[in-house]
Amino acid sequence: MTTTRRDLTRRHGRRRSVAALVVAGLAAAALLTGQAAGGSAQAASSDTTTLTVNADTQMTTFNPFLSYYDGELNVIGTIYPSLTMLNDQGEPVPYLADSWTTSPDKLTWTFKIHPGLKWSDGQPLTAADAAWTFNLIMHNATAATSNGSLVANFKSVTAPDATTLVIKTKQPQANMLYLSVPISGIPIVPEHVWKSHVSGLKNYRNMDFPVVGYGPFVLTGFKTNQYAEMTANKSFFLGAPHFDKVVTNYYSNSDAAAAALTSGELDQIDGLTPAQYNAISKKSGIQTYQTQSNGWSAIEINSGAKTRSGKPLGTGNPILKDIRVRQAIALGINRQELVTKVLDGNGVVGAGYLPPGYPQFFWKPSASESLDYNPARAKQMLDAAGYKMGPNGVRVAPDGKPLEFRLGIHSDDATDAAIAPYVKEWMSAIGIKLDVNSMSFDQLNNNLAKGDWDMLMDGWSTGPDPTYLLSIQTCGTLPDDNGQNGNTDAFFCNKSYDRLYSQQQTQFNAGQRAATIAKMQKILYAGNGDLILFYKNGLDALRTDSVTDYLQGAKAANGFYPLQHGFTSWWKAEPPAGAATAGQKASQQSSNAFKWIGLAVLVVVLIGVAVMFLRRRTAAERE
């Protein structure tokens, strides 16, 4: 009986499997003949034009009040409006604000907001939304996390009517037209959506899809450590995007991203290494291009993490509080060799805080101020400071503790990985031991915010107005005593720097402002909190067989294109006539794969049916 039951059970199972295969086979057959219920949906999907680009960084939140990762900001700047935008020359032009005026004393700015606009959920978009956004940042510490420094000089912000925004400042502010631009400035959010999230703002990630906003695209999907998907806003008042969707893909390492462009999985990529750039430039259907640097790569040194009130924070090695140790580290780094060997010459040796892409602010130290590569001087400095060489080649402090520091690098950044061995060797040569810790992008940045680090690799970029980048070195960006609401870079705090920061904001004369900013860079350089290694040229590429009009502006005589902005490129890019984009290729490959699977299943079903009939016939003959 047991055997019979087992036998019956097995037969029952087989019958269920055959039935399932028949259904699947019929479905596959219907799909192959274009008659399946999902056939039209699949066809519609393959017709959708999708621009697929690489995400510059991980994406963990799309809350514009908290975000400062490039991968997130590129998305945020595309789905939320700003008062102005930047043209190809990096100058502010109308966006949400059609026009603006300022009072004779330059303390009152009046913006005329474009009438008749609606958020993606159909609610009116008015000046009141802009006023609410700015006021929230002005009066809520959490909302001020990312951009609070940009409104620190604001006295009041009001909306007398639906199309008028009035901003009054405490002192004249020269950079007002740059404060609310896509990506690097303050985005305007819908009050009717965000007011319910204020109480829980620090934990809100803004992932209620589709995200209510207004811009050339609407954020419609996201998968952690994989991608963000945006759908075109066909009613965008400045002109509908040409692509139906934009997908920004995140790759855990740059080699994978470069391979994705070569295979056609990506349409555009930036931030290539020289080796990747040179290899890709030889591929057909791909255009490589360079832009002058708008950012820097640096080693940050924890000279004593603290809160705004001066409360110590984190696990930084106290030896690094000694300016002489930080100066010795600076003298021990051969920046020119890094440019030559790591960048293959595609960059500029670092020193000042602002990059050469904006020559009006580019600064270099004088010969007497310079801390260029000089290991002999570094050794002398450490000897004189009492850091004696130990028998194992590692110096020790007067209290007997070794000069051994953690160096954090990004695991997803090939440039960090290339730099680390050089720095470790150079530090060993002057008696300092480095323990290289490779961490995810998110982990390294979390450690930075908590002060749980000694030295780490970091990088920042800036728009044509450097106010934001300069602001992250002010005392006001230190966290509060709970370790929250901070946006500091290296826990730098200098009152003289802060005074100059406030002064440059009031200077409408370009020459005077540049001179003040130069003094600020001199203070940062002397402080040795950020050791600027180099300014890397933008090494980028795009597939000319799947995207056109991506690049904005013409190539200059020196071979560089103007600095590009994702907001404009994604909005204005077009798919070539008759060519498939990366998104369409992926959709087609998926469709083809499914069709072949369906065909295979159908063949199996037919074989199974034939065997079944053959068995029935044999059984009948036996009877």
Side-chain angles (χ1 to χ4, degrees):
M1 292 293 294
T2 302
T3 303
T4 305
R5 286 177 181 173
R6 284 180 180 173
D7 197 34
L8 287 171
T9 303
R10 187 169 63 246
R11 286 178 183 172
H12 181 63
R14 280 181 181 170
R15 287 172 183 165
R16 290 181 61 188
S17 299
V18 169
L21 285 172
V22 170
V23 172
L26 293 174
L31 176 64
L32 290 170
T33 59
Q35 296 175 6
S40 59
Q42 181 65 40
S45 176
S46 64
D47 288 341
T48 300
T49 57
T50 303
L51 174 66
T52 309
V53 302
N54 75 306
D56 292 333
T57 64
Q58 283 184 314
M59 297 168 284
T60 60
T61 180
F62 297 110
N63 182 331
F65 301 104
L66 305 180
S67 178
Y68 56 91
Y69 294 172
D70 284 348
E72 299 164 354
L73 294 176
N74 282 325
V75 173
I76 290 169
T78 304
I79 66 171
Y80 289 118
S82 52
L83 293 181
T84 59
M85 67 173 70
L86 302 176
N87 63 14
D88 295 344
Q89 292 73 45
E91 301 164 338
V93 294
Y95 182 3
L96 197 57
D98 289 331
S99 62
W100 47 83
T101 56
T102 183
S103 61
D105 61 5
K106 293 183 171 57
L107 293 176
T108 302
W109 290 75
T110 302
F111 295 86
K112 298 305 293 183
I113 304 302
H114 193 83
L117 299 180
K118 293 183 178 180
W119 295 104
S120 56
D121 63 356
Q123 294 297 309
L125 192 172
T126 71
D129 293 295
W132 186 87
T133 301
F134 288 127
N135 275 292
L136 183 66
I137 298 173
M138 291 165 60
H139 301 109
N140 182 295
T142 301
T145 299
S146 295
N147 294 308
S149 60
L150 298 181
V151 300
N153 186 44
F154 283 16
K155 184 177 180 180
S156 67
V157 183
T158 57
D161 57 57
T163 59
T164 305
L165 178 73
V166 179
I167 301 176
K168 294 186 177 182
T169 60
K170 302 169 188 175
Q171 299 291 331
Q173 190 159 330
N175 62 337
M176 285 292 293
L177 299 182
Y178 290 92
L179 293 185
S180 179
V181 296
I183 302 174
S184 62
I186 298 173
I188 307 302
V189 302
E191 176 186 2
H192 69 279
V193 172
W194 280 86
K195 62 184 179 182
S196 63
H197 298 295
V198 171
S199 61
L201 194 61
K202 69 179 181 180
N203 297 316
Y204 182 58
R205 295 182 13 173
N206 193 26
M207 293 184 182
D208 301 322
F209 304 112
V211 173
V212 177
Y214 186 84
F217 293 92
V218 176
L219 182 59
T220 50
F222 170 73
K223 192 164 187 179
T224 303
N225 291 334
Q226 293 192 35
Y227 66 85
E229 179 189 78
M230 290 155 280
T231 300
N233 174 9
K234 296 298 185 180
S235 61
F236 187 51
F237 81 108
L238 292 172
H242 302 283
F243 278 93
D244 298 316
K245 291 181 181 292
V246 169
V247 173
T248 174
N249 283 349
Y250 173 71
Y251 296 87
S252 59
N253 65 77
S254 60
D255 286 335
L261 182 84
T262 302
S263 68
E265 182 181 321
L266 284 177
D267 296 311
Q268 190 273 342
I269 187 173
D270 51 28
L272 293 166
T273 67
Q276 293 164 351
Y277 185 82
N278 292 334
I280 286 176
S281 65
K282 300 172 184 176
K283 305 290 184 180
S284 62
I286 295 178
Q287 177 186 354
T288 53
Y289 58 97
Q290 294 194 40
T291 58
Q292 204 160 25
S293 179
N294 69 336
W296 44 254
S297 295
I299 292 178
E300 297 183 357
I301 301 180
N302 187 346
S303 59
K306 57 186 178 295
T307 66
R308 286 171 216 165
S309 69
K311 178 182 175 182
L313 189 69
T315 60
N317 193 316
I319 294 175
L320 292 171
K321 294 180 180 180
D322 190 337
I323 184 64
R324 297 167 297 183
V325 175
R326 302 200 302 275
Q327 289 173 336
I329 291 172
L331 288 165
I333 297 175
N334 191 338
R335 293 169 173 83
Q336 181 59 64
E337 188 169 349
L338 291 178
V339 170
T340 301
K341 293 186 176 179
V342 175
L343 300 186
D344 197 23
N346 294 294
V348 177
V349 171
Y353 192 66
L354 297 180
Y358 304 106
Q360 68 273 34
F361 299 121
F362 191 50
W363 174 88
K364 292 182 179 181
S366 66
S368 61
E369 298 166 333
S370 176
L371 292 172
D372 287 342
Y373 184 55
N374 191 334
R377 184 183 169 195
K379 293 177 184 178
Q380 292 170 358
M381 185 175 291
L382 291 172
D383 287 339
Y387 297 97
K388 296 180 179 180
M389 186 69 75
N392 60 350
V394 179
R395 293 178 182 271
V396 294
D399 63 2
K401 293 181 179 178
L403 269 66
E404 182 175 353
F405 310 121
R406 299 164 291 178
L407 174 63
I409 68 171
H410 297 90
S411 60
D412 58 355
D413 192 316
T415 302
D416 278 16
I419 291 171
Y422 287 101
V423 177
K424 184 172 182 176
E425 181 180 343
W426 292 328
M427 291 301 100
S428 178
I430 64 174
I432 294 175
K433 182 181 179 181
L434 290 186
D435 300 315
V436 178
N437 299 324
S438 181
M439 293 175 276
S440 71
F441 183 91
D442 202 40
Q443 181 185 357
L444 188 146
N445 283 281
N446 285 337
N447 284 0
L448 188 158
K450 294 184 292 185
D452 289 337
W453 56 284
D454 298 328
M455 301 166 59
L456 53 80
M457 291 295 306
D458 197 16
W460 283 85
S461 59
T462 179
D465 179 77
T467 300
Y468 181 84
L469 187 58
L470 294 170
S471 76
I472 63 176
Q473 298 292 354
T474 60
C475 300
T477 59
L478 296 178
D480 57 31
D481 282 351
N482 294 320
Q484 303 294 321
N485 304 323
N487 191 27
T488 184
D489 177 51
F491 291 91
F492 185 82
C493 178
N494 181 288
K495 298 300 182 182
S496 295
Y497 178 92
D498 282 10
R499 284 192 292 270
L500 290 170
Y501 173 78
S502 298
Q503 180 180 326
Q504 60 85 26
Q505 288 196 95
T506 69
Q507 294 175 314
F508 286 76
N509 180 283
Q512 290 178 348
R513 187 177 184 220
T516 300
I517 289 175
K519 293 178 183 178
M520 297 170 67
Q521 295 187 77
K522 182 176 180 178
I523 291 173
L524 291 174
Y525 185 79
N528 281 281
D530 284 90
L531 307 185
I532 309 298
L533 301 178
F534 50 67
Y535 319 99
K536 177 185 174 183
N537 296 345
L539 302 179
D540 311 325
L542 59 87
R543 296 200 64 95
T544 55
D545 56 357
S546 61
V547 59
T548 65
D549 296 322
Y550 188 92
L551 291 172
Q552 306 301 309
K555 183 165 65 174
N558 61 6
F560 290 105
Y561 275 89
L563 292 170
Q564 303 292 306
H565 306 283
F567 167 81
T568 308
S569 295
W570 299 353
W571 168 31
K572 294 190 175 181
E574 298 188 36
T581 66
Q584 287 177 303
K585 291 174 184 175
S587 176
Q588 187 61 45
Q589 289 169 357
S590 176
S591 174
N592 288 341
F594 187 71
K595 288 179 180 179
W596 281 111
I597 291 171
L599 181 60
V601 170
L602 180 60
V603 170
V604 171
V605 169
L606 294 177
I607 292 173
V609 171
V611 170
M612 180 177 66
F613 279 112
L614 179 60
R615 286 178 176 174
R616 287 179 178 175
R617 180 182 176 187
T618 304
E621 289 174 348
R622 284 200 302 267
E623 293 174 357

